[in-house]
Amino acid sequence: MLHGILTGEFRRNVCHNMKISCRDCAFLDNCQYSALFESPKTSAAVFNHSQSVPPPYLISCDSRSVDFAPGDPLAFDFLLFGDDVEKYIPQLFAVIQNISSYPLGENHLPFELDHVEQKTSESSFTIMENEVTARPEPSPWTFQLPERYDKIFIQFASPFRTQENNELVREFVPAVFFNQVRQRFTQLVDPKNKKTLEFPKLPNMHDVHLHHSSWKDIPCCSSFHGEDMILGGVLASFHMNRSSELDAWLPYLFFCEKYHVGKETTFGFGKYSLWVKQ
């Protein structure tokens, strides 16, 4: 729902011809909407990727409420990353200010913008409230390897959706998960494929102790497609005991905790939490 409203309003603000598809547009590779919300095939070819270029954003909503009364809040995170993030900010501010123009959800509930905060690793501060806006500043992702730990515990908050051999993976497979972590890191950190990233040796997959794994279908109402869609993925939790291989993989695991993993990440899929236990 949030994805559809944000992308639709952004396109209406910048598009010169809403009647044609992005794929058929002569300005495909010189358009803010295309660069942010699409993955042009021409860009993928330039970047030398066999797959699409990941869009540089995530929408995440921790609320599971589907019924709202007057005065109830609906908070969500919009995470924007990459070298070009600042050039999208003016249009995004305009989109967010107009969000009250769009009744949300199946019952078309009216919402008003309360405020927008920028979150950093240390704090959060308001950057938009009423008619006042402040310029957000880029915030780097940082990681520090814990000095002491015995094991890590990972639990998915939203379905982990991925494919192998063009088929959906319908159960949690540790090797597939680590492959997606590697692919996600490569696509986001080195999108232009300037160099071949070398990854450490994989941990022993027999050291992955699975606690829970189940398939979860999530219905999505798509006004663009004019029909309801079902997006599914695996919900899982597991732990791993410390090893030298796991030490080497921790930065990548913490990275994907922040930027999600798997397919449909822009819809909030593949979000997990990682705990380090002594």
Side-chain angles (χ1 to χ4, degrees):
M1 176 185 68
L2 295 169
H3 177 273
I5 290 173
L6 292 173
T7 57
E9 176 66 8
F10 195 101
R11 186 183 177 191
R12 278 184 283 271
N13 283 359
V14 302
C15 184
H16 76 291
N17 188 349
M18 291 286 291
K19 295 181 180 180
I20 64 174
S21 69
C22 291
R23 300 294 182 188
D24 298 326
C25 180
F27 301 101
L28 178 65
D29 292 309
N30 296 284
C31 171
Q32 280 198 349
Y33 172 80
S34 175
L36 185 55
F37 295 110
E38 295 286 334
S39 183
K41 292 182 179 179
T42 49
S43 294
V46 170
F47 293 165
N48 194 27
H49 281 306
S50 59
Q51 299 180 350
S52 61
V53 180
Y57 73 95
L58 296 172
I59 298 175
S60 179
C61 183
D62 291 331
S63 173
R64 295 294 180 265
S65 298
V66 294
D67 296 314
F68 290 86
D72 288 348
L74 173 61
F76 64 93
D77 294 330
F78 188 93
L79 177 62
L80 195 60
F81 46 83
D83 295 333
D84 299 325
V85 295
E86 288 187 273
K87 70 181 182 182
Y88 305 123
I89 295 299
Q91 286 295 345
L92 281 173
F93 272 7
V95 168
I96 292 171
Q97 284 176 324
N98 290 337
I99 199 169
S100 60
S101 303
Y102 298 89
L104 306 185
E106 184 178 2
N107 295 322
H108 303 287
L109 297 178
F111 279 81
E112 293 182 355
L113 177 67
D114 186 79
H115 70 283
V116 179
E117 292 183 353
Q118 179 177 356
K119 296 180 180 179
T120 68
S121 56
E122 293 82 19
S123 62
S124 63
F125 50 92
T126 299
I127 58 174
M128 177 184 289
E129 189 171 22
N130 298 323
E131 300 297 324
V132 179
T133 61
R135 178 179 176 178
E137 296 295 333
S139 178
W141 177 80
T142 58
F143 166 78
Q144 184 175 0
L145 184 69
E147 295 181 2
R148 297 178 55 191
Y149 75 97
D150 296 322
K151 64 180 65 175
I152 67 166
F153 179 79
I154 289 179
Q155 181 172 7
F156 278 90
S158 61
F160 169 56
R161 181 179 174 89
T162 189
Q163 291 182 337
E164 196 170 55
N165 299 322
N166 295 321
E167 292 187 359
L168 279 173
V169 178
R170 301 189 67 88
E171 60 182 20
F172 184 77
V173 181
V176 172
F177 168 71
F178 274 90
N179 180 63
Q180 285 297 120
V181 169
R182 173 169 43 208
Q183 179 171 305
R184 184 74 170 152
F185 184 87
T186 301
Q187 289 179 324
L188 292 182
V189 173
D190 188 27
K192 297 185 179 180
N193 204 21
K194 295 178 181 178
K195 60 183 178 180
T196 301
L197 298 178
E198 295 185 6
F199 285 82
K201 178 183 176 181
L202 282 172
N204 189 330
M205 295 299 104
H206 293 293
D207 290 338
V208 178
H209 303 279
L210 190 63
H211 297 187
H212 169 263
S213 176
S214 63
W215 183 266
K216 175 72 172 180
D217 281 325
I218 296 181
C220 300
C221 179
S222 172
S223 57
F224 179 80
H225 292 93
E227 60 183 3
D228 290 344
M229 301 186 303
I230 299 295
L231 292 177
V234 176
L235 285 175
S237 60
F238 63 92
H239 81 266
M240 297 182 67
N241 294 326
R242 185 173 189 176
S243 66
S244 58
E245 291 83 5
L246 182 57
D247 279 353
W249 272 87
L250 268 185
Y252 307 106
L253 294 173
F254 274 108
F255 179 88
C256 286
E257 181 191 28
K258 181 75 171 180
Y259 297 105
H260 303 186
V261 67
K263 296 184 178 295
E264 308 296 353
T265 53
T266 54
F267 286 90
F269 277 57
K271 179 180 180 180
Y272 63 80
S273 296
L274 188 156
W275 293 273
V276 175
K277 293 188 175 182
Q278 293 185 1

